Amino acid sequence: MEFFFQQLTNGLAVGGIYALIALGYTMVYGVLKLINFAHGDLFMIGAYLGLTLLTALGLADHLSPFGVIALLAVMVLALVAILGVVLERVAYRPLRQAHRLSAVVSALGASIFFQNIVMLIYGAKFHVYPHDLMPRTVVHIFGMPVPLIRILILLASVVMMVGLYTFIQRTKVGTAIRAAAIDQGAARLMGINVDRVIALVFVIGPALGGVAGLMVGIYYGQINFTMGWIYGLKAFTAAILGGIGNIPGAMVGGLLLGLIEAFAAAYLSIAWKDAFAFCVLILILIVRPTGLLGERVAEKV
Amino acid sequence: MKNKRWIVYAACAVVILISPAALNRYWTDVLNVIGLYVMLALSLNIILGHCGMFHMGHAAFYAVGAYTTAILNTAYGIPVLWLMPLSGLLAGLFALVIARPIIHLRGDYLLIVTIGFVEIVRIALINNIFGITGGANGIFGIDRPTIFGMKISTPGQFFYLIWFFVAVTIYLFRKLEHSRFGRALNYIREDDVAAAGSGIDTGHYKLIAFVIGAVWAGFCGTLFAAKMTIIAPESFNFWESVLLFMIVLLGGRGSIAGVILGTFLVIGLPEIFRQFATARMLVFGVVMVAMMIFRPEGILPPPPRTYRLDGDTGPEEAA
């Protein structure tokens, strides 16, 4: 039972991280119909920026662990958001009228660029987050020990997701984002500045991805310049699983994927862990071709 | 105009054919790698370029071909080139089995599923599935191919073997492109609802396109296994599929000349950028973005199809 509970909390924490990254994919997809293959690399840059800021500013000497992490999260969030906007301006905006796949190649090029610039700056080796960043507290839930960090990661990601969902559903700007996702032309006619909406999407998505990068750094303790690919792929899988373009779908998909992986690794075979995630994805798409929460797309004739 | 194009193509072909005489072993080998990628990219072009299916898992079929050749050659000593048809057949069967349930998926859903398949195949190979793939180390000691008793082993000899197959590929795929089948694929790419309305069995045609592409990737797998004599799962990872995907889009979807040029750029540029040492892939990424911004339809998009109707003197434009 305790083993099961450990897998459950681990799966939820990892799933929360996947969901945060998946939100970036799904929001960009919703508005631009573009798979932002560079998103995973923005996530990776978030992890590196977190480490650099932590060591360069020497925050740990002055603040409590939670203060350090909160401050780091805010700084990473802001910096990665800036990077996201620049990426959109340089690599995607000139291609907005072009075929969708042209922008995909541009995204792949940007991804290669980001990976290699991080490799040139930091080197190809693994980088390690300080072990004493978080106190290794263990709390007991229903009498079972759970590392505090897992709860915090899950909590933080759920708070961000709920916040985003409320923002999208309840505010005027959120409504503008939804309108631009449904029909850009009509949104423009209603007086919505679609360029600003797209820029905003490229603020929110990468910001969440950057924070997820910081979380992975703290949770696993080591980061590498190639990790953006595998996490990006997983998160993209999560977004598709839930139905791409759909914000609650990304959250459900992320958490589900995290749980599938944790349980598959624990009970079936760790060597086949990654394959299970894809098998489940394929099975779900065979039954529901637009993902779990995806709407049926009407045929345009 | 049309004749001028042919003169350019013929000149390029002649330059490529005589180039090994002027190049050292290293650059000849680069040309061999490019030749293999040309074949692979042309086979992907049928699926992605002509039929418009977002397929980012082509390395899976390539792997099936290469492993079929490697296993049967090392275990039973069957000559490598004899295994080529079988490798293609198995890759095609594999494609048929996996594509059948997913062929109706739209755009990006198909994309992630094909990525999923290439990852599953790689993980299966690493985990030594059925105990015959040799795990993460792969399979080594594959024989060199022999033609009429002559053993092919130097890069110069491989050059002619590979580029012979490239020429065959170009010839056959050009025929295919201009056949009824090729036109149907283009129709499906532009508007599959209209295509279905005109009596094209879209699911059937998509499946055939997928299988043809996979069979060809299987053939390439044989050549790859013969050239390397050692194969490992890492040769067939997701990145290989991404490279092929980029080649087709960069060169020009549905254009044979474009795809060939795209291969030279995507595979050749990182070699030329070696002077930038570790920064070469960085430069490569920037070039990728820039090329898409300046030529979003690819470098050499296919010219609009033109047909001459019987009794009509002027060319008829058709999409």
Side-chain angles (χ1 to χ4, degrees), chain A residues 126-144:
Chain A
F126 277 86
H127 283 259
V128 182
Y129 266 63
H131 290 295
D132 51 355
L133 185 60
M134 271 288 293
R136 302 187 159 264
T137 321
V138 173
V139 291
H140 288 263
I141 301 176
F142 305 127
M144 293 203 238

Side-chain angles (χ1 to χ4, degrees), chain A residues 29 35 90 95 98-100 102 105-106 109 112-113 116-117 120 229 236 244 271-272 274-275 278 285 290 299, chain B residues 54 106 108-109 111-113 115-116 123-124 127 193 238-239 246 249 253 278 281-282 285-286 289 292-293 296:
Chain A
Y29 188 88
I35 306 162
V90 174
L95 285 165
H99 190 274
R100 292 176 47 198
S102 312
V105 173
S106 183
I112 296 170
F113 173 81
N116 283 280
I117 203 157
L120 287 178
W229 265 111
F236 181 47
I244 195 154
W272 289 84
D274 291 343
F278 289 117
L285 286 186
T290 50
E299 302 267 329
Chain B
F54 297 3
R106 310 200 145 262
D108 309 289
Y109 291 94
L111 185 89
I112 188 73
V113 168
I115 294 174
I123 293 165
N127 287 320
V193 178
F238 174 46
W239 175 244
M246 290 202 291
L249 294 178
R253 283 169 292 129
T278 48
M281 289 311 282
L282 187 89
V286 176
V289 175
M292 274 297 115
I293 289 171

Side-chain angles (χ1 to χ4, degrees), chain B residues 120-131:
Chain B
I120 292 172
V121 166
R122 188 180 63 89
I123 293 165
L125 293 175
I126 290 176
N127 287 320
N128 202 3
I129 191 168
F130 310 133

Side-chain angles (χ1 to χ4, degrees), chain B residues 43-56:
Chain B
S43 67
L44 178 63
N45 187 36
I46 301 279
I47 304 170
L48 173 66
H50 283 296
C51 197
M53 290 187 283
F54 297 3
H55 170 42
M56 218 188 242

Side-chain angles (χ1 to χ4, degrees), chain A residues 12-13 149-161 215:
Chain A
L12 285 175
I149 177 135
R150 284 187 192 165
I151 298 172
L152 285 178
I153 285 180
L154 182 62
L155 213 62
S157 47
V158 169
V159 166
M160 278 189 267
M161 285 187 267
M215 285 179 176

